[in-house]
Amino acid sequence: MLAHDHAEIDTLTGDLLAELEQGDKLKVFTRLDLLWARLAVHIRAEHLCLFPSILEADFTIRSDVPQYQEVRSAIDQLRLDHEFFMRELGANVKIMRQETASEQLTEVRRSVVVIQRRLTKHNQLEEDYVYKWVNVLLGEAQRLALTAAVKRELENIPPRFTSDFT
Ligand SMILES: [Fe+2]
Ligand SMILES: [Fe+2]
């Protein structure tokens, strides 16, 4: 579910970069606002549901599970990335709200390219390791509860973002 959300967010990032190329400020703003909201919802689901479930797991349950320290440092890194994404996107929204020259689009574009690059690495770390740890560290009941909680969070998006923006 979270990996599927990565794919959608990836598409939204591509759409935003395409609008930045076109240079229509209003469309750029709409795309940027949508990406910001979707990423915020995704990050919230990871912070509120995924990370606590993993960190509270019993690391002694099996011998083939990752060590707590490894898990802890991966999640710390992911949290730093999340802070970076939210800070950068917030700053870009602020730039777009200001009535200034076309340089603002160049500045936002530069930032979105950096975000995109870091997000790709971030999502890889999650999909290749962190999301998979759920399967080895949690029992079936915990996994089902986590899935339900993540689903609830992902569906909990502000209504103005649920319509189709094409
Ligand atoms: Fe993440
Ligand atoms: Fe993620």
Side-chain angles (χ1 to χ4, degrees), residues 27-150:
K27 286 181 179 171
V28 167
F29 191 84
T30 308
R31 292 287 177 192
L32 179 63
D33 199 32
L34 178 61
L35 176 63
W36 192 28
R38 283 292 302 269
L39 199 57
V41 167
H42 182 91
I43 287 173
R44 192 173 57 196
E46 291 179 342
H47 278 223
L48 292 180
C49 315
L50 179 72
F51 296 166
S53 308
I54 294 178
L55 290 171
E56 285 160 18
D58 180 2
F59 289 84
T60 59
I61 193 168
R62 275 159 42 180
S63 57
D64 60 344
V65 300
Q67 295 295 301
Y68 177 79
Q69 223 23 65
E70 181 192 349
V71 171
R72 170 96 251 176
S73 70
I75 287 177
D76 285 347
Q77 178 57 51
L78 295 174
R79 283 189 212 271
L80 285 176
D81 290 341
H82 288 166
E83 278 169 29
F84 171 81
F85 300 140
M86 286 297 100
R87 195 173 55 237
E88 281 293 306
L89 286 171
N92 287 333
V93 168
K94 212 168 153 190
I95 291 170
M96 289 307 297
R97 283 202 181 117
Q98 289 161 355
E99 279 303 318
T100 48
S102 64
E103 282 161 22
Q104 68 187 149
L105 291 182
T106 316
E107 203 180 330
V108 170
R109 194 181 174 279
R110 203 178 299 130
S111 161
V112 174
V113 168
V114 174
I115 292 171
Q116 186 186 44
R117 213 171 290 149
R118 186 154 168 183
L119 191 58
T120 301
K121 272 192 202 157
H122 175 93
N123 291 347
Q124 235 157 38
L125 172 61
E126 288 182 343
E127 289 175 31
D128 295 347
Y129 297 92
V130 182
Y131 292 176
K132 286 181 177 163
W133 288 337
V134 168
N135 298 321
V136 291
L137 286 167
L138 302 188
E140 203 192 343
Q142 289 168 301
R143 270 206 310 271
L144 287 174
L146 174 59
T147 305
V150 166

